[in-house]
Amino acid sequence: MKFKKITIIIGCVMSFSQLMAQSPVLTPGNVESVTVNDHDVTFQAGSIFGKVIVYSPSVIRVRLDKKPLGRDFSYAVIAQPQKTKTSITQNEESITVLTDSLKAVIHKKPFAIAYYTPGGQLINQDEPGLTTSWVGEEVTSYKTMMPDERFIGLGEKTGNLDRKGNAYTNWNSDTYGYQVDQDPIYSTIPFYIGIHHSLNYGIFMDNTYQSDFNFGASNNRFSSFGAHGGEMNYYFIYNKNIAGIIQSYTGLTGRMKMPPLWSLGYQQNRYSYYPDTEVLRIAQTLREKKIPSDGITLDIHYMDRYQLFTWDKKRFPDPPQLTAKLNKLGFKLTVIVDPGIKVEKGAPAYESGAKDSVFIQYPDKTFYTGQVWPGWCNFTDFTSEKGRAWWRKQVKFFADNGVSGIWNDMNEISTWGQKMPSNVLFDFDGAKTTHLQAHNVYALEMIRSSYEGAREHFKERPFILTRSGYAGLQRYSAIWTGDNRAEDNHMLLGVRLMNSLGLSGVSFTAMDIGGFTGGASTALFTRWMQIGAFIPYYRNHTALNTKASEPWAYGEDALEISRNFINFRYKLMPYMYSNFYESTQTGMPVMRSLAIGNTFDVKVYDPAFQNQYLFGGAFMVAPFESTKEYGKIYLPQGTWYNLYSDEQLQGKAETIQPLNMSHLPVFVKESSIIPMQSLVQTTAEAPTDTLTLHVYNGKVANTFVLYEDDGKSYNYENNEFNKRAISFDPAARKLTIGETTGNFASKFHEVKLVLHGFTNIGKIKLNSKIMNGHSAYYTMIDPVNNIDPQGADGGRRDAAPVYELSFGLSNQKQVLDYELK
């Protein structure tokens, strides 16, 4: 008996020791088996299965899982691997994957991966001892945090431009009136850019489960990214500049299509405009007060008891007649849609959706029901082709009523209580899954369905707007930053959110001008309207039970200043539209963080200057609170012109500028080329046939691609566009307007050339013919009327001395040579 007791005790101790040896953290072991193909490496490391794939010369993909790799499927990535010259070699210690742009070294004992430039400089590596690991179903990759490393991007995230020292969670959330440091908010883009030692790289983790990114929060050892389920699946991107990283990332996830021209105009919104007579009153007042504008939006009160695909017939008795009247006035109508379909017997949308079984379900096959505006609702399963096809069919309802834009809201998914059960099932395109995996991608598939439905049924390009999304959303929709507040800090936060979205592949962005909740002061509204003129989607929007927020609601001065800046935006249409074209080609955002072009200038990350941004390549905007009387501004390298006066300031320096209600600090970069048109009240109105071409003197060569098409159809996809490169070469003292390409006839036949900063201009020749010009003053943004024309400045405080000349615009190459006195 005594011997048996001792044996049992020893056996228990041994079992406990074995249990303790099994760590609750699962990490890869040594690489035990390797299969090498032309462009990929498949391996097993202990109990971990992996694959490293060359996607392009500058992109390498890594897949890791604790079971054999499963279905290779993505809602975000639409690109296939490119055929790439690749060398893959191995020895006992490592496997080396080499392209002409990037080298990856896969260490075998134990598994870890490091990335180098072709010249051997370390870009990024797994943190030794941590690498990639699993805690239960949660998988995380740990990266060595380099000295002085910065991190930017990650989409719609609050906080500073430089995300070092912080951590973020991706779980799309309805966050009404969110705090300026709240996380998460509405959308998920798990892509960031790391910067250190004159190097930059991007990492995109394509995993739709709730994910977490840590950039040195609560530790001094690593940065990390991980998800609460699924495999580790990420793309490593290297390029010498951030623009190249954004181009590679959008090469993976897609780029925006050309938007309808009207969507670049001013949009007047409210929660809510009704009835139809009120909508027309707003439209007519905008015209009477000569406020250029192109769009009006209807919130949920246009519907019959908030039921989707209906109209409230008392408020809107004849929607096609309303949209026809608006179109005649030069306005397009956008309407809101939510994903919830009210559970109501006899309602067409409900009966149709239930019959076709397009709604998400519980495991017992009953439809999930959640409460939203209409009451208890079912929700379309946009992760199934059947659900998307049903939704596309419903979009015909809007086309039949003359609607031009679809505003997708509440698509996080948002329901009262904000706690959708985890066991709700989604089709996930044939790989049925739970809410945990489908949640973050739901909005992406909703806007995909709205876009595809509108493309099928609308006669012209639609405008699609969303509150929520996932990586790749730029293929289908613009996005706005949700239910912000009428506060100065929210105005500036909105700028940072849009800049970060731009860094993350999303170019068509917006915030609610004036603030959604609360009521803006006159000064705040005025400043916000000025900033709005320099953002991609210019939308004035305010909430229910707030004071009116149309430009005329804040007094004559606010109205005049707002109108002056809107006027300037409409004159800039050729410039803006061309910048949107650039976004469709390279992913370069219209609204650009200074970090894109000044990546290693530490000043641009300073919280004092991080709100500054470029609008296109020419304008630098410096937003400030409405309460400030002076603003400290950082000018990056180069020469900068004050937009109003053409005063020249040298870069790599700080300047303090006085602030007032009528002037937003805006500067123009040297050598900029800015095409402008005559003022119109709506983009439906044709400008004059004169292109005003502004060229700013400088020391660097520059090229601007001027792009035109009809602004409304898809004909541009079939070569119906007009494109030409305009180049300025100061060393050769030459301006070249290139030959046109495409079959679309330009709307411009004359050029008015306006030269800024050419103080000693001499003889000018156009294609060897001497041209006559003259000195003049030019006003970019009209001054307010209370400037005394007889004052000491002669009324020219907002006018810049320029040199002008005019000539006909040809489809052939035109070369203008100039001499200096």
Side-chain angles (χ1 to χ4, degrees), residues 544-669:
L544 192 70
N545 298 324
T546 61
K547 67 182 182 180
S549 197
E550 296 79 32
W552 55 84
Y554 292 85
E556 287 300 317
D557 286 345
L559 170 60
E560 185 178 6
I561 294 167
S562 298
R563 181 168 49 219
N564 289 346
F565 277 79
I566 297 171
N567 286 347
F568 183 62
R569 181 182 178 93
Y570 273 74
K571 293 176 185 177
L572 278 179
M573 281 294 166
Y575 172 83
M576 287 197 299
Y577 200 63
S578 298
N579 273 282
F580 272 92
Y581 171 74
E582 183 181 7
S583 291
T584 70
Q585 300 302 297
T586 67
M588 176 64 80
V590 175
M591 187 171 175
R592 306 172 184 177
S593 165
L594 296 185
I596 293 177
N598 305 275
T599 308
F600 307 107
D601 185 340
V602 297
K603 284 285 189 181
V604 304
Y605 305 98
D606 188 323
F609 308 118
Q610 66 179 353
N611 298 319
Q612 296 176 205
Y613 65 94
L614 292 178
F615 187 59
F619 300 99
M620 187 184 74
V621 182
F624 286 98
E625 297 90 336
S626 61
T627 55
K628 284 197 171 180
E629 295 181 356
Y630 289 89
K632 186 166 67 171
I633 298 167
Y634 177 68
L635 300 169
Q637 185 172 4
T639 299
W640 297 86
Y641 290 75
N642 182 297
L643 176 66
Y644 308 94
S645 66
D646 271 8
E647 175 192 5
Q648 294 183 38
L649 299 165
Q650 294 307 307
K652 297 289 284 186
E654 298 176 17
T655 179
I656 295 177
Q657 297 282 319
L659 304 175
N660 59 63
M661 195 166 153
S662 63
H663 285 70
L664 173 71
V666 180
F667 301 86
V668 181
K669 191 176 183 179

Side-chain angles (χ1 to χ4, degrees), residues 672-676 690-696 726-728 734-737 750-756 758 761 764-766 771-776 778 802-808 814-818:
S672 287
I673 300 165
I674 304 172
M676 294 174 64
T690 297
L691 179 74
T692 302
L693 189 61
H694 295 267
V695 178
Y696 285 77
I726 304 172
S727 299
F728 171 53
K734 189 184 301 289
L735 177 72
T736 304
I737 302 175
E750 301 289 330
V751 174
K752 178 181 178 181
L753 182 62
V754 183
L755 300 175
H756 298 253
F758 293 79
I761 199 80
I764 298 179
K765 294 180 180 180
L766 178 63
M771 302 293 293
N772 295 317
H774 63 274
S775 296
Y778 196 94
V802 297
Y803 190 87
E804 297 180 351
L805 66 153
S806 298
F807 53 89
Q814 295 174 283
V815 179
L816 188 145
D817 297 282
Y818 64 92

Side-chain angles (χ1 to χ4, degrees), residues 679-700:
L679 178 62
V680 293
Q681 292 301 301
T682 165
T683 59
E685 176 188 341
T688 68
D689 69 349
T690 297
L691 179 74
T692 302
L693 189 61
H694 295 267
V695 178
Y696 285 77
N697 200 3
K699 296 186 176 76
V700 296

